[in-house]
Amino acid sequence: LKDQFDNLDKHTQWGIDFLEKYAKFVKERIEIEQNYAKQLRNLVKKYCPKRSPKDEEPRFTSCIAFFNILNELNDYAGQREVVAEEMGHRVYGELMRYSHDLKSERKMHLQEGRKAQQYLDMCWKQMDNSKKKFERECREAEKAQQSYERLDNDTNATKADVEKAKQQLNLRTHMADENKNEYAAQLQNFNGEQHKHYYIVIPQIYKQLQEMDERRTIKLSECYKGFADSERKVIPIISKCLEGMILAAKSVDEHRDSQLVIDCFKSGFEPPGDFPFEDYSQNIYRTISDGTISTPKQEGMRIDTKTTVGKAKGKLWLFGKKPKPQSPPLTPTSLYTSSTPNGSQYPIFSIEPVHYCMSDIKTGKPRIPSFRSLKRGYFCLQGPALEDFSHLPPEQRRKKLQQRIDELNRELQKETDQKDALIKMKDVYEKNPQMGDPSSLQPKLTETMSNMDRLRMEIHKNEAWLSEVEGKVAARSDRRHSSDINHLVTQGRESPEGSYTDDANQEVRGPPQQHAHPSEFDDEFEDDDPLPAIGHCKAIYPFDGHNEGTLAMKEGEILYIIEEDKGDGWTRARRHNGEEGYVPTSYIDVTLEKNSKGA
């Protein structure tokens, strides 16, 4: 390699170029990692929920698991940023610094080699010049010798010419000897410098270039290792992120999510009752039955069933008076008198009017609870949120009240702790006046006590509402249990009395009490007349009554109760002037008459 200086120059330059090429590769890899981490963070930010109120926080395990996965993915993106930062600091930055140092070192070694080569070339030129001068002097000396010999042999030459030629020969010979000595010295010097150049200087320079190239190779190896170590260092944390995602996936509980849906939408209302059987074959059995007490049908007694159904639909208006259905005309043939063993008589209706009335009642009444649900939904959607949550279904109202009570209890506990701390601080100030003025704490202590009293009142008020809701839910549960036992027996004003059997001879109703018929038919069909008051109430709080079907009232106002709360939080009431509407049950103090029908 002693004569391969130019090739080594090219090789070392290639090594530096390769180093920079790898540095560029690392830089692009860093950019990829940074962009990847940035895109992951943007993805997480896009699908991560905005900050929402506490009530709107996700509660389903599938949603919570997804948000945990997003958090783990965000941590994973952070680890990709760590990889990029580690590569940039440990690999790319180190490569760029080393490349700069390597260029400087290579330049220095190449300059030393060029200088040594230039010095050797200079020595060779000096030796060559002395050689040429020696050669020229030798030729001149030979010419002088030939001239001397020619004159010395020439008989015609004078002695002066011979002597002059001899002196010229001696001069040229002396100069040739001097040039010979100088050439010998220059040659010896050049040979020494050439030996030194090829055996000492150049090998040393080449060795330095070799060491430099080997260090470059070692540095590349270290950077390769650092490149892999940057990735390997974050593998444990990335593995934890992936394990967190797996744990989040395992935490999904479909049964718990279903229960949350049930708890969220559970209203506490009873399902609608069973539809009664409508026997349309009754007239056939009356015709062929011998034991039926009836008279021949008259044309005036016929009632159109379509008209009856239309009347039943007309009864389903909640926020106003029901249209009065046209009762079938009663003729002497349609009204019979039955006597009892003791001789008392009571009127009964014939089969046809009672049958159509019963059909009318059966057709219309089972739909009323669903319309009440629509009314309740209307209030929930259109009406303002009430303080006692009476616009919500019973179960949801109970949950909201319980949540508010828990929050108030937490606030009360904070105020209590603050009061205790103020009392202790006041005691310390009283014992050590230099630490502070005890009277300066009195306003804060008074404010804290006032807040505690306010919170206690709020808790007491909400607990009263909660007790009311829980009592109604329990009462409805008892009614539901009793309805499951006797599901064929209709209850309240909304169902007719009596029942039908498969036997056509027993389709007539049992002997009703003297006051039963007028009361029932007044409630169900004579709605143009005011409903009877079943009690009275006193308004505890004022109510605006902006929504349709509600009744505004002032605090302390006395109203008549004409329909009890059916479990939806609303009671139907009437003013003295006859104005009717629904009012929140929690806003009034109800007193029912013991002997009233609805009591």
Side-chain angles (χ1 to χ4, degrees), residues 125-157:
K125 286 181 180 180
Q126 290 177 356
M127 184 271 296
D128 187 60
N129 290 332
S130 62
K131 177 182 177 182
K132 290 179 179 179
K133 189 176 181 181
F134 172 62
E135 182 181 4
R136 186 173 60 252
E137 291 297 332
C138 286
R139 282 197 301 269
E140 292 293 333
E142 289 178 356
K143 289 179 181 180
Q145 185 177 2
Q146 291 177 359
S147 178
Y148 170 72
E149 290 178 353
R150 182 173 56 80
L151 290 173
D152 187 37
N153 294 326
D154 187 4
T155 56
N156 297 321

Side-chain angles (χ1 to χ4, degrees), residues 369-382:
S370 63
F371 274 81
R372 290 180 63 84
S373 301
L374 290 177
K375 177 203 70 174
R376 182 182 65 256
Y378 175 82
F379 286 151
C380 293
L381 294 175
Q382 302 294 334

Side-chain angles (χ1 to χ4, degrees), residues 509-522:
R509 298 163 63 180
Q513 294 181 358
Q514 191 70 20
H515 63 278
H517 282 292
S519 176
E520 287 298 324
F521 284 95
D522 285 344

Side-chain angles (χ1 to χ4, degrees), residues 263-277:
D263 294 341
C264 182
F265 297 108
K266 184 178 180 181
S267 64
F269 291 113
E270 293 182 12
D274 297 339
F275 280 88
F277 177 73

